Amino acid sequence: MDILKKPLITEKISALNESGVYGFVVEKTAKKPEIKAAVEKMFGVKVVSVRTMRYAAKQKTRYTKSKVVSGYTNAFKKAIVQVAEGEVIDFYGEI
């Protein structure tokens, strides 16, 4: 099971990248020690701290020509990871 789904690339997280803070969307069942181990193994850096946030699904409604379509967005979990001073994770190196 792959714990890290994708990196977060937003303006706020990109501004924090300079200070060694990175964001990831992770599995909903992932725990902090598992996230720390996965980041250290995948990127070869020393993780100092991990903060997690869970986001609930939101109800969305669309009005189409024939009917009203109701549903929910996906629920997800975010992890904010701080690496040791002087270490960098390069997301754009593969592009």
Side-chain angles (χ1 to χ4, degrees):
M1 180 172 96
D2 192 23
I3 292 175
L4 302 176
K5 289 185 176 180
K6 61 181 179 178
L8 284 174
I9 302 175
T10 62
E11 287 183 30
K12 189 172 187 178
I13 293 292
S14 295
L16 292 173
N17 285 353
E18 296 172 3
S19 60
V21 178
Y22 301 91
F24 298 94
V25 175
V26 297
E27 288 287 329
K28 287 186 269 186
T29 58
K31 296 178 177 40
K32 289 181 182 184
E34 296 171 347
I35 296 167
K36 180 180 178 179
V39 171
E40 287 178 345
K41 181 180 176 187
M42 184 176 285
F43 297 105
V45 295
K46 174 78 173 121
V47 175
V48 176
S49 70
V50 177
R51 297 178 300 225
T52 59
M53 295 161 265
R54 293 187 60 161
Y55 288 86
K58 294 181 184 177
Q59 186 174 15
K60 296 285 185 174
T61 304
R62 270 191 332 199
Y63 299 95
T64 63
K65 287 182 180 181
S66 60
K67 62 181 178 179
V68 176
V69 179
S70 294
Y72 287 89
T73 62
N74 292 332
F76 64 98
K77 186 173 188 176
K78 238 181 357 183
I80 306 300
V81 176
Q82 183 170 3
V83 298
E85 192 171 332
E87 297 198 13
V88 177
I89 296 177
D90 186 20
F91 292 133
Y92 307 108
E94 300 172 357
I95 296 176

